[in-house]
Every structure is written in C-alpha cells, then in structure tokens.
C-alpha cells in the first residue's frame, strides 16, 4: 500500500504566512504614506474605543447570524434546484439567477425600503440579516449544488452494496466528500459575508463601518479610522480562513479514511 503524504500546510504555517503578508502590506502602505508626507495619528481613536467595540460586536453578530441563515437558504435552494417538482426547481433557479445578477447595494435599498415597508419590517438589524442571507444564500446554493454534482455516483452504489442506510450514507459518504470539496469556496463566501455587512451602513445599521463613518465626521481622521477598521475586518476574515483550514483537514481525513471502508 502506498503511503500518502499530507502536503496540506499546517495551521502554524498558515498563521505565519498570513502575518508575513500582513507585514509586507503594512510596510508598503507605510512607505506610501510617508512618501506623500502624510502624518498618521491613531491616538484619537482611544476615546472612541467603546463605540468601536460595540460596532465590532454588531458586525460579528450580524455576520454569524447571516452565515447560519444563508447556509440554510443555500442548502435548501441547492436541493430545490434538483427537485423533480418543476415549480420548485424553476423557482430556485430563478432566485439564484436574479440575486446573483443584481448588486447587493440595489437589493438592500429594494428589500428594506419597498418589501420591508410593505411587510412591516422596521427593525434595521433583522432586515440587514435577512438581506445578507438572501444575497449570500444564492452563491452558497451554487457552491453546494456544484459539490453535490461532483460526487461520483459509484460512491453511493458502493455504500448501498455494503448495506449502509441512507442516514449512514449521508454521514460517512456524502458529508465528508462534500465538505472536503466545498469548504474552501464556503470559507471565501463566509469572508464575503463579513465584508458585505459593511454595506448595511446605507440603511443606518450601526455596525463597524457606520460607526467609523460617524467617528470620522467627529475627529476628521478619515485615513486613520479606515485603516484601523480595515485591520479589524482582516482579523475577522483571517479567523474564518484559519477555521476553514482546520475543518478542511478534518473532512479530508474523514474522506480518506472512508475510502478504505
């Protein structure tokens, strides 16, 4: 039997590479700033630390809620597109095409000020989560649908031949293979949710970007404020990347083990 060598980068290597890239970018940015004679002063941010912390927490809560809801919407839509009931299949396909074919900013205005008003949704935070979930769910649906389509049907035939129940087949075959194949794309989409949440500031959702806009209007330190908020967004998206790497190694291991069952 041939030994398999794990060529996947370790968590420590990913952290080190992320820090290295961040240092390079910061150095490049610092050189650019000094070359035009711009003096940065981040000390003024300390007096707004409570507001920044609240905005940061709000961004995290909106992103986590949207991540969960969009994953549910995406999973249901992916299965709906493969449904034998034509009206369900056509509806899911139309939803994906319309959502992916229009900008998020347009959808925010349309859903909040028209649909939200018509249905009496006046909570900006609930509306923000729903809008983000609907938007991201369309992309997640295609990721899941593509992952399901890539699974060799022979895997299911083997599972059936050895007497696995549908539940066991889902647990031992479908989920490990699917997750191993779609996790990188899902991680990118989840990072996109965090960044796209900044657009909710247009409907006055007091998350991180809206908080920084208000602070910038008060201290007139726009460059410092937005550089700082960029670092905070990077921390969140980098954390998603690290978590994705851990889960990816786990499901890749399960997939390799299940191949020998």
């Amino acid at each position: 039997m041939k030994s398999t060598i794990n060529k996947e980068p370790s968590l420590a290597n990913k952290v080190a590479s992320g820090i290295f890239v961040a240092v390079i970018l910061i150095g490049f940015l610092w050189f650019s700033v000094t070359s035009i004679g711009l003096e940065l002063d981040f000390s003024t941010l300390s007096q707004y630390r409570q507001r920044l912390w609240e905005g940061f927490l709000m961004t995290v809560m909106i992103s986590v809620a949207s991540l969960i809801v969009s994953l549910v919407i995406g999973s249901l839509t992916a299965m709906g597109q493969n449904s034998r009931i034509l009206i369900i299949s056509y509806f899911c396909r139309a939803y994906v095409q319309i959502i992916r074919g229009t900008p998020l900013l347009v959808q925010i205005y349309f859903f909040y000020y028209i649909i939200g008003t018509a249905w009496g949704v006046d909570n900006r935070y609930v509306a923000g989560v729903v809008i983000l979930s609907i938007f991201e769910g369309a992309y997640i649906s295609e990721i899941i649908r593509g992952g399901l389509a890539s699974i060799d049907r022979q895997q299911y035939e083997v599972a059936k031949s050895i007497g696995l129940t549908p539940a066991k087949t889902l647990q031992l075959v479908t989920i490990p293979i699917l997750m191993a194949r779609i996790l990188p794309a899902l991680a990118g989409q989840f990072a996109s949710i965090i960044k796209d949440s900044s657009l909710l500031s247009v409907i006055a959702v007091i998350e991180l970007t809206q908080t920084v806009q208000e602070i910038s209007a008060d201290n007139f330190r726009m460059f410092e404020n937005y550089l700082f908020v960029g670092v905070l967004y990077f921390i969140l998206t980098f954390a998603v990347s690290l978590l994705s790497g851990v889960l990816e190694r786990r499901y890749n291991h399960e997939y390799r083990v299940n191949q020998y069952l």
Side-chain angles (χ1 to χ4, degrees):
M1 182 182 297
K2 294 182 179 180
S3 61
T4 58
I5 301 176
N6 186 7
K7 298 183 179 179
E8 298 174 10
S10 65
L11 181 61
N13 288 337
K14 284 191 174 185
V15 173
S17 63
I19 294 175
F20 176 75
V21 171
V23 169
I24 295 296
L25 290 176
I26 291 173
F28 175 77
L29 179 62
W30 188 261
F31 174 79
S32 302
V33 168
T34 54
S35 66
I36 62 174
L38 179 63
E39 296 183 1
L40 298 179
D41 181 14
F42 293 93
S43 61
T44 57
L45 284 170
S46 61
Q47 59 183 305
Y48 303 102
R49 56 183 178 276
Q50 183 62 33
R51 292 174 63 184
L52 287 169
W53 175 246
E54 292 173 357
F56 181 80
L57 287 181
M58 183 55 63
T59 292
V60 172
M61 289 189 290
I62 290 174
S63 299
V64 171
S66 300
L67 184 154
I68 295 171
V69 178
S70 63
L71 190 57
V72 173
I73 293 175
S75 301
L76 293 176
T77 305
M79 292 185 291
Q81 290 189 72
N82 296 325
S83 174
R84 296 181 180 179
I85 303 176
L86 290 181
I87 189 171
I88 295 178
S89 177
Y90 289 158
F91 175 80
C92 292
R93 291 172 187 270
Y95 155 72
V96 171
Q97 293 298 324
I98 292 172
I99 296 299
R100 294 182 68 189
T102 53
L104 176 57
L105 190 60
V106 173
Q107 294 177 31
I108 291 173
Y109 281 120
F110 181 81
F111 281 110
Y112 182 72
Y113 289 108
I114 297 179
I115 296 180
T117 301
W119 289 85
V121 180
D122 54 1
N123 188 309
R124 298 176 186 272
Y125 299 97
V126 172
V129 169
V130 172
I131 293 168
L132 268 183
S133 301
I134 291 174
F135 179 77
E136 303 293 345
Y139 290 88
I140 292 175
S141 170
E142 288 298 276
I143 293 173
I144 295 175
R145 187 181 66 84
L148 289 172
S150 70
I151 299 177
D152 189 355
R153 307 307 300 179
Q154 188 177 3
Q155 298 278 354
Y156 296 113
E157 294 174 5
V158 172
K160 187 176 182 180
S161 67
I162 63 176
L164 290 183
T165 63
K168 281 293 183 181
T169 301
L170 179 66
Q171 177 187 352
L172 298 176
V173 179
T174 305
I175 292 180
I177 297 176
L178 180 64
M179 295 303 292
R181 293 181 179 178
I182 70 174
L183 260 176
L186 277 182
Q189 204 59 46
F190 292 159
S192 178
I193 290 175
I194 296 172
K195 293 180 290 185
D196 288 343
S197 67
S198 62
L199 291 177
L200 296 179
S201 60
V202 300
I203 57 173
V205 173
I206 311 299
E207 41 70 66
L208 192 54
T209 300
Q210 177 67 16
T211 300
V212 169
Q213 288 176 352
E214 295 175 356
I215 293 174
S216 297
D218 187 41
N219 66 0
F220 303 105
R221 288 286 183 178
M222 184 180 69
F223 292 108
E224 291 90 335
N225 297 339
Y226 280 98
L227 282 174
F228 182 73
V229 79
V231 172
L232 294 180
Y233 277 112
F234 173 77
I235 291 172
L236 289 175
T237 55
F238 190 57
V240 169
S241 176
L242 293 179
L243 179 60
S244 168
V246 172
L247 293 175
E248 193 175 344
R249 282 192 295 275
R250 171 191 169 187
Y251 283 109
N252 276 331
H253 174 72
E254 288 187 9
Y255 172 53
R256 288 192 292 267
V257 169
N258 291 339
Q259 283 184 311
Y260 296 97
L261 294 179

